[in-house]
Amino acid sequence: MRRLFIALLFLASLPFASAQDDPLKVAFIYVSPAGDYGFSYAHELARQKVDAHFGDAIETVFVEAVPEPDVEPTIDQLVADGADVILGTSFGYGDGILAAAPRYPDVIFGWGTGYQRAPNVFTYMADLYQPYYLNGMIAAGLSETGQLGYVAAFPISEVKRHINAFTLGAREVNPDATVDVRWLFNWFDPAGTKEATEAMIAEGVDVIAFTEDTPTAIQTAAEYDVPSFSHYASMVEFSPETVASGHLVNWEVIYIDFLQKVLDGTYTSDNLSDVDYFWLLEDDAVELGSEPGVKIADAFVEPLQNTMVDHPELGSISVYDLVMDRHDKMVAGRDVYDPFLGPVVDRNGNEVYEAGYLPTIGDLTSLEWAAPGVVGAWDNEPQ
Amino acid sequence: MLPFRLEKRGVPSAGLIWGVSLAAVAVAMLLTGVLFAFFGVPPIEAFRTIVERTILDARGLSEVVRRAIPLMLAGVGLTLAFRANFWNIGAEGQLLIGATAASGIALFSGLPAGAMLPTMLLAAFLAGAAWGLLPALLKTRLGVNEIITTLMMNYVAIYIVRWLINGPWKGPSLGGFSYTERFAPEAVLPTIGTTRLHWPTLLLAIALALFVAWLLARTRFGFEARMMGESPEAARYAGVNFFKTTLTLILVSAGAAGLAGFGEVAGIHQRLVDPGSLSLGYGYTAIIVALLARKNPVAALVTALLLGWVAASGDVMKISLGLPSQITGVTSGLVLLSIIGSEPFLRYRLVRREPARTPSEAI
């Protein structure tokens, strides 16, 4: 009888005990399977790091391969499961997130790469334009023909910004370098990527960069011994010999910062209207590297150290040192160095940013122009 | 020799069809349960969660019906075509073109509020019908196999939509993303509460099913269509006008798929989006809806709900049970496989061999 009483007492105390230690439940929604290389995989790696960082304070779950129109019912199910924070990682989730958010005013929503906020919806982005700029310098340093190639997903502002940064970097090393751009009109298109890569190599391109969700460009370029760059996460394992460097994203830096502020009460479900992360090298949200911690793959260090350029500002300098100079300055802050600091002229000769003007984040996220040296079709280009 | 043999049945009774179909679903659930157990999810609990989230929960139920709407419209249309032996595999393309026509009206017509939705609906129906017309003409005039032509027309439709949203119809306010602008409120269908259940389209689907059932059972056109399906030789001999009947039935069948496209853009997306997001393969699933319904338009309403439920259950498995995304495809495959596999039980019965007979008598 006494034992039963104790057991009942224990059971009665359970709801209170669990209410106190209830971890913050954080749900991630991915647009493709988490195991695939590319965008969703980078978020999945970040989720695992968030899990490890917060221990028992946070419980994470993820839902993969959610088509854009299905994000709203997915949110309904996640809320029913008790999610406190829901992070929709894809631009196309915006309609669904903004429709569901008013229905669940106590739940916090994040719209990755999005642009519209609400009291319980914040937006976030880890932008890669700075590492792409450094990749462009490396590419021009390695190229013999001066012809670089870029396989691009969609002509949206983000991708245009990255192509421009890559091209400006290439031109800083070789003022005659060109960047041939091929559009896929798709985020995931291994067949199209292979075709575009091979076509450009056949035309004399000897370094390849890309924005597409698979390692296909790296694998195809490797067949011709053409250097390429890791995209989002390390892709070195697909071709250890030819991946020269890359642009890596550390989404966990943003996630940990945000969730810490949720845990300590700074961010709540009614003060997020102005919370917009646009984090860069200086925030450690993105990184130059073929793999984490390796800025330039070993085999490419010496060739870049031996390639000297005559730089208008820094005099005779090796490409390697030039890359590191720019890298360290960008890590110090956008006000120390930014590739888009005016004067910037587009490929049609229009002045885009006047001398001394540092474009705002808003300028960069609505960018439409094409840098001098970019070759190929360019949707919605200012004439 | 086996102690049993198969004996052909006559026309299966409604009770038998229901019994066998339910048994097939039960077998599928059993197999799915085994799959759950392999992934370390207790099957009973898993099914309870699925039922709680999809049927006992109002919002979950609204999603089941919401997914069933395009399957109903396209599926009902297909029952009519299949009855007449016109193998329309092109509902997907007809749906997409219907959605495109409705979007075009919504974005560019500037019609007043009262005329907007009816015009979109009409445009979607006519565009879907027109998309089916070409394969119908090729079949009746030149004898080209409609399975090939309707299927190929799907790809043409996919690329037309892609071209529009990447090119002339791309919304200027979206920073280069491939969508059109959002429709104005007068071009959006009402929904029940805050759900996404666009009820006018549901009513339309029910009305269409009843209309097609009436066409098939009570009209001269329906009689001729059925005769073309069941005995083309007899139909020819009886003087059925294959050309006219085929064109009429494709008008209704492909037009219905076009209406499904109207429902998706005006009810769900509120803009024209990528074909992969727009339809989630509804046009192909509708083929299964029509065949499971044994080409009966009213039964297609029920099979559409069943497949809508399978899709919604897949979401629950993925989200609440933490199963990998590929599992949803596997489970819906199991349901379809067991239902299709149950088909012989409707046509044959298993009888015990009588031991004294000679082999020749047994045949």
Side-chain angles (χ1 to χ4, degrees):
Chain A
M1 188 65 211
R2 185 155 154 224
R3 200 174 285 171
L4 182 71
F5 179 73
I6 292 172
L8 281 176
L9 205 68
F10 175 72
L11 281 177
S13 71
L14 268 183
F16 299 100
S18 65
Q20 267 171 359
D21 303 324
D22 229 5
L24 189 74
K25 196 163 178 189
V26 181
F28 293 75
I29 308 177
Y30 307 144
V31 75
S32 50
D36 286 4
Y37 267 81
F39 192 71
S40 295
Y41 179 67
H43 285 280
E44 172 59 12
L45 291 179
R47 184 194 64 82
Q48 292 166 7
K49 287 177 186 157
V50 166
D51 232 11
H53 177 86
F54 285 105
D56 294 337
I58 279 183
E59 182 194 334
T60 65
V61 292
F62 70 90
V63 192
E64 58 180 4
V66 175
E68 288 171 0
D70 277 356
V71 71
E72 213 184 321
T74 301
I75 289 171
D76 291 331
Q77 297 283 355
L78 287 169
V79 173
D81 280 340
D84 302 303
V85 179
I86 296 177
L87 301 163
T89 57
S90 171
F91 178 86
Y93 289 159
D95 285 350
I97 290 172
L98 292 165
R103 209 154 61 224
Y104 305 113
D106 297 331
V107 177
I108 289 174
F109 293 90
W111 178 15
T113 78
Y115 61 92
Q116 212 176 325
R117 285 168 292 282
N120 59 338
V121 181
F122 81 107
T123 48
Y124 62 97
M125 173 73 175
D127 197 80
L128 291 166
Y129 81 86
Q130 295 169 328
Y132 263 113
Y133 167 71
L134 299 168
N135 291 167
M137 299 171 91
I138 295 166
L142 295 173
S143 173
E144 310 218 323
T145 60
Q147 286 174 263
L148 313 178
Y150 196 119
V151 183
F154 277 104
I156 58 169
S157 182
E158 178 191 340
V159 179
K160 288 178 178 173
R161 177 166 72 240
H162 295 169
I163 295 169
N164 283 344
F166 183 82
T167 310
L168 290 174
R171 285 241 162 163
E172 188 167 358
V173 166
N174 173 4
D176 299 322
T178 59
V179 177
D180 197 348
V181 179
R182 301 289 164 101
W183 299 102
L184 300 171
F185 297 96
N186 210 330
W187 293 111
F188 177 90
D189 186 3
T193 302
K194 186 170 165 48
E195 205 178 296
T197 307
E198 285 180 336
M200 289 194 291
I201 290 172
E203 287 170 17
V205 162
D206 62 355
V207 184
I208 290 282
F210 65 99
T211 304
E212 192 258 353
D213 262 0
T214 70
T216 307
I218 286 178
Q219 290 166 316
T220 309
E223 288 171 29
Y224 301 87
D225 207 22
V226 163
S228 52
F229 299 92
S230 282
H231 179 56
Y232 288 133
S234 169
M235 294 183 169
V236 166
E237 62 189 281
F238 294 99
S239 176
E241 314 282 300
T242 63
V243 178
S245 179
H247 36 278
L248 311 175
V249 56
N250 303 320
W251 289 107
E252 69 276 9
V253 175
I254 293 176
Y255 288 140
I256 288 172
D257 182 86
F258 180 80
L259 293 171
Q260 186 57 53
K261 286 176 176 153
V262 172
L263 284 176
D264 66 28
T266 312
Y267 290 150
T268 66
S269 59
D270 38 40
N271 67 3
L272 300 178
S273 295
D274 294 320
V275 179
D276 177 27
Y277 286 75
F278 188 88
W279 277 18
L280 302 164
L281 273 180
E282 61 183 288
D283 310 292
D284 203 24
V286 295
E287 184 181 342
L288 170 72
S290 51
E291 56 190 301
V294 183
K295 292 190 182 71
I296 296 174
D298 288 347
F300 295 91
V301 170
E302 216 182 283
L304 290 171
Q305 280 170 339
N306 294 338
T307 308
M308 302 300 287
V309 291
D310 205 15
H311 193 273
E313 179 195 321
L314 302 167
S316 180
I317 186 171
S318 78
V319 175
Y320 183 87
D321 290 340
L322 186 58
V323 169
M324 292 306 156
D325 176 85
R326 294 317 192 204
H327 174 266
D328 294 346
K329 284 176 176 161
M330 287 192 289
V331 168
R334 279 194 77 208
D335 47 340
V336 180
Y337 186 78
D338 193 284
F340 290 125
L341 177 73
V344 174
V345 176
D346 72 15
R347 69 173 177 182
N348 294 326
N350 308 312
E351 184 177 74
V352 189
Y353 308 126
E354 61 184 36
Y357 179 75
L358 181 63
T360 62
I361 299 305
D363 291 333
L364 295 182
T365 52
S366 60
L367 176 161
E368 293 291 353
W369 52 275
V374 172
V375 179
W378 196 268
D379 202 45
N380 200 20
E381 182 175 8
Q383 284 313 308
Chain B
M1 201 193 297
L2 289 170
F4 295 99
R5 65 194 175 88
L6 290 174
E7 190 179 88
K8 211 164 173 138
R9 287 182 200 273
V11 177
S13 69
L16 182 75
I17 293 176
W18 277 102
V20 169
S21 304
L22 288 176
V25 173
V27 169
M29 286 178 74
L30 202 69
L31 292 173
T32 311
V34 173
L35 203 63
F36 288 163
F38 271 125
F39 277 93
V41 181
I44 303 287
E45 205 174 299
F47 282 120
R48 203 183 55 217
T49 310
I50 289 172
V51 170
E52 273 172 8
R53 291 295 175 79
T54 55
I55 297 172
L56 302 179
D57 173 69
R59 180 162 282 280
L61 188 62
S62 80
E63 276 297 311
V64 172
V65 181
R66 195 269 299 173
R67 283 160 197 272
I69 292 173
L71 298 177
M72 287 176 175
L73 283 164
V76 165
L78 291 182
T79 58
L80 176 63
F82 292 171
R83 275 291 183 89
N85 226 4
F86 187 94
W87 292 100
N88 179 12
I89 311 298
E92 182 80 1
Q94 292 145 16
L95 185 156
L96 291 174
I97 288 298
T100 305
S103 301
I105 300 286
L107 293 167
F108 307 113
S109 74
L111 285 169
M116 182 62 100
L117 282 167
T119 313
M120 285 166 68
L121 184 145
L122 189 69
F125 181 87
L126 292 176
W131 211 246
L133 196 64
L134 185 65
L137 285 172
L138 285 171
K139 177 176 177 158
T140 48
R141 282 293 179 240
L142 300 170
V144 180
N145 184 326
E146 78 277 16
I147 297 178
I148 309 289
T149 50
T150 51
L151 182 66
M152 290 302 129
M153 293 286 280
N154 289 344
Y155 296 100
V156 179
I158 285 172
Y159 285 109
I160 287 179
V161 175
R162 287 240 164 98
W163 170 69
L164 286 172
I165 61 173
N166 280 303
W169 288 14
K170 176 148 75 180
S173 78
L174 293 159
F177 280 90
S178 306
Y179 309 92
T180 66
E181 292 295 337
R182 218 184 166 97
F183 296 172
E186 58 264 27
V188 175
L189 284 166
T191 57
I192 298 178
T194 59
T195 69
R196 300 200 294 168
L197 189 55
H198 39 106
W199 57 269
T201 331
L202 177 65
L203 296 183
L204 188 67
I206 296 168
L208 183 80
L210 296 174
F211 173 67
V212 171
W214 172 78
L215 271 184
L216 280 169
R218 295 267 180 271
T219 65
R220 182 195 161 103
F221 158 74
F223 175 72
E224 291 183 345
R226 280 187 287 133
M227 195 162 29
M228 274 168 56
E230 279 157 33
S231 178
E233 290 309 311
R236 220 175 287 279
Y237 189 71
V240 169
N241 185 337
F242 274 53
F243 180 70
K244 204 177 107 191
T245 310
T246 303
L247 290 199
T248 314
L249 75 88
I250 199 67
L251 184 79
V252 178
S253 177
L259 290 179
F262 158 73
E264 291 310 289
V265 289
I268 306 292
H269 308 290
Q270 305 177 19
R271 58 176 90 205
L272 191 64
V273 298
D274 187 80
S277 291
L278 187 108
S279 124
L280 303 176
Y282 291 132
Y284 297 110
T285 313
I287 298 170
I288 300 160
V289 166
L291 292 179
L292 285 185
R294 308 184 64 74
K295 308 177 195 172
N296 177 327
V298 178
L301 298 177
V302 179
T303 52
L305 280 170
L306 174 72
L307 288 171
W309 177 71
V310 169
S313 305
D315 272 5
V316 177
M317 290 175 211
K318 206 162 73 173
I319 298 162
S320 300
L321 305 178
L323 295 170
S325 59
Q326 293 84 350
I327 276 290
T328 63
V330 174
T331 49
S332 46
L334 284 176
V335 172
L336 299 177
L337 194 67
S338 51
I339 289 179
I340 293 163
S342 71
E343 187 90 336
F345 292 101
L346 296 175
R347 283 185 283 126
Y348 297 94
R349 75 173 101 226
L350 211 53
V351 290
R352 183 177 278 279
R353 280 180 199 280
E354 283 154 43
R357 293 204 170 169
T358 61
S360 65
E361 284 175 275
I363 294 170

